[in-house]
Amino acid sequence: MAAHLALLSAALVFTTGASAGGEPVAASLHATIATLDGEVFDAFNRCADPAQLERHADHFDPAVEFYHDNGGVTWTREAMLDNTRRHACGRYTRQLVEGSLQVHPVAGFGAISQGRHRFCDSAGRACDGLADFTMVWRLHEGRWSITRVLSYGHRAAGD
């Protein structure tokens, strides 16, 4: 019975947004995922360097599913990286649209992040592409990784 009450209490703390220390779980989770999002795309933006591409890859589960409205689906990290290498590295960079990132906890698993990003031409720095994204993050043994990505609604930035 005590174990059941402890589990129920922990579930209530998680769902009500307060941790044992009083810090809102949602704010802490948002900060964590925002930092990770920055790390993923800092490496992506410099992925013409093989070490940065590897750093980018480290954020993804080996069995990541990547759904792209224009490019189709990839079912593994290696396939996703091959597309990144061939179509993105050295061609364009990604910028998160400020204020667009939303983070939602997934009980017992991790989080879902959603937002909007801009794509900028690497040569001219014109940021004329815009898209929406959703990522599923898993927290396993103290390490966050991306298990699913949806990149959709690709359009000109003025649309």
Side-chain angles (χ1 to χ4, degrees), residues 80-101:
M80 181 203 69
L81 290 174
D82 183 53
N83 280 343
T84 301
R85 199 178 293 109
R86 287 186 298 125
H87 302 293
C89 296
R91 291 183 173 83
Y92 63 87
T93 60
R94 180 259 198 180
Q95 295 176 352
L96 179 66
V97 173
E98 190 164 337
S100 72
L101 184 66

Side-chain angles (χ1 to χ4, degrees), residues 22-40:
E23 178 185 15
V25 169
S28 175
L29 181 62
H30 190 281
T32 297
I33 298 300
T35 297
L36 290 167
D37 183 86
E39 291 173 5
V40 169

Side-chain angles (χ1 to χ4, degrees), residues 77-154:
R77 178 173 53 202
E78 287 310 312
M80 181 203 69
L81 290 174
D82 183 53
N83 280 343
T84 301
R85 199 178 293 109
R86 287 186 298 125
H87 302 293
C89 296
R91 291 183 173 83
Y92 63 87
T93 60
R94 180 259 198 180
Q95 295 176 352
L96 179 66
V97 173
E98 190 164 337
S100 72
L101 184 66
Q102 297 177 37
V103 178
H104 308 277
V106 177
F109 186 81
I112 296 171
S113 65
Q114 298 173 287
R116 191 171 315 113
H117 42 211
R118 225 181 332 271
F119 296 96
C120 305
D121 178 79
S122 292
R125 297 311 243 170
C127 299
D128 55 6
L130 192 63
D132 300 302
F133 69 90
T134 301
M135 289 192 246
V136 178
W137 293 84
R138 179 181 184 203
L139 178 59
H140 182 68
E141 297 180 354
R143 185 176 183 283
W144 287 95
S145 63
I146 302 167
T147 62
R148 305 288 181 274
V149 178
L150 289 82
S151 186
Y152 52 94
H154 288 82

